[in-house]
């Protein structure tokens, strides 16, 4: 019995590879959490700049009134509110990336079988991937593949949206058409608006 226990004893040390994988997994979650907190703070400031009341923002964000007030104070001390347009037809890169993100999420949720873009979306959500030219190109390829593989099952509006987004990303907007404001906020807004438009909302 003692020999059996010895044979199955847990090793006293971990390998460098084991520790690396373990800490990398933790870092992914921490990074995603930090980035999401920063995005929420930027979004709160943007909403306040658009005229939303602190009470409404606190209720909708599930935040305390003092937390929103703190963001409002930072907003008052900082730069003027970002001029944010909520029109879907904008062609700066972060906005188009957000539209692509929203389209990919709709495809992932509505494919009759697991979509090719789902793992990529999960990596973005967990902070394992960020929006870079390389990861955006990869997402574009996966979305196009899903649209091709499931062209009869997915609504035609998905392909039409992808064509507009793809052309916009291939041909950068003129400098005068480049919008201001944090890229992360513009992506999040465009993602939400694109998803609502694909679902028939405005």
């Amino acid at each position: 019995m003692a020999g059996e226990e010895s044979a199955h004893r847990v090793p006293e040390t971990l390998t460098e590879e084991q520790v690396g994988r373990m800490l990398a997994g933790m870092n992914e979650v921490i990074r995603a959490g930090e980035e999401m907190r920063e995005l929420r703070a930027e979004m709160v400031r943007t909403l306040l700049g658009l005229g939303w009341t602190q009470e409404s923002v606190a209720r909708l964000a599930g935040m305390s009134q003092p937390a929103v007030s703190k963001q409002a104070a930072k907003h008052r001390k900082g730069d003027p509110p970002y001029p944010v347009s909520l029109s879907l037809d904008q062609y700066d890169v972060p906005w188009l990336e957000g539209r692509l993100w929203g389209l990919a999420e709709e495809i992932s949720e509505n494919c009759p079988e697991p979509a090719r873009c789902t793992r990529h979306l999960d990596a973005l959500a967990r902070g394992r991937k960020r929006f870079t030219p390389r990861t955006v190109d990869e997402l574009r390829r996966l979305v196009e593949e899903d649209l091709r593989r499931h062209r009869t099952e997915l609504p035609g509006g998905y392909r039409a949206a992808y064509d507009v987004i793809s052309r916009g990303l291939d041909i950068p907007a003129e400098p005068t058409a480049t919008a201001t404001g944090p890229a992360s906020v513009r992506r999040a807004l465009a993602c939400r608006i694109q998803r609502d438009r694909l679902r028939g909302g405005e």
Side-chain angles (χ1 to χ4, degrees), residues 3-57:
E4 184 178 343
E5 289 179 359
S6 177
H8 293 88
R9 186 174 56 190
V10 176
E12 295 178 359
T13 61
L14 294 168
T15 66
E16 186 172 314
E17 183 181 359
Q18 287 173 311
V19 172
R21 285 199 306 266
M22 181 175 62
L23 292 179
M26 293 177 183
N27 286 340
E28 289 168 7
V29 177
I30 291 168
R31 188 184 305 121
E34 288 175 352
E35 290 177 356
M36 195 55 67
R37 282 192 293 272
E38 290 172 6
L39 173 57
R40 188 177 70 168
E42 290 285 3
M43 189 63 72
V44 165
R45 289 195 286 272
T46 299
L47 291 170
L48 294 173
L50 286 170
W52 288 68
T53 66
Q54 292 184 31
E55 292 78 10
S56 295
V57 172

Side-chain angles (χ1 to χ4, degrees), residues 119-136:
R119 290 181 64 183
H120 194 87
L121 290 172
D122 183 62
L124 288 169
R126 292 179 61 81
R128 293 197 303 270
K129 292 182 184 289
R130 291 180 172 82
F131 282 93
T132 66
R134 180 177 176 180
T135 59
V136 170

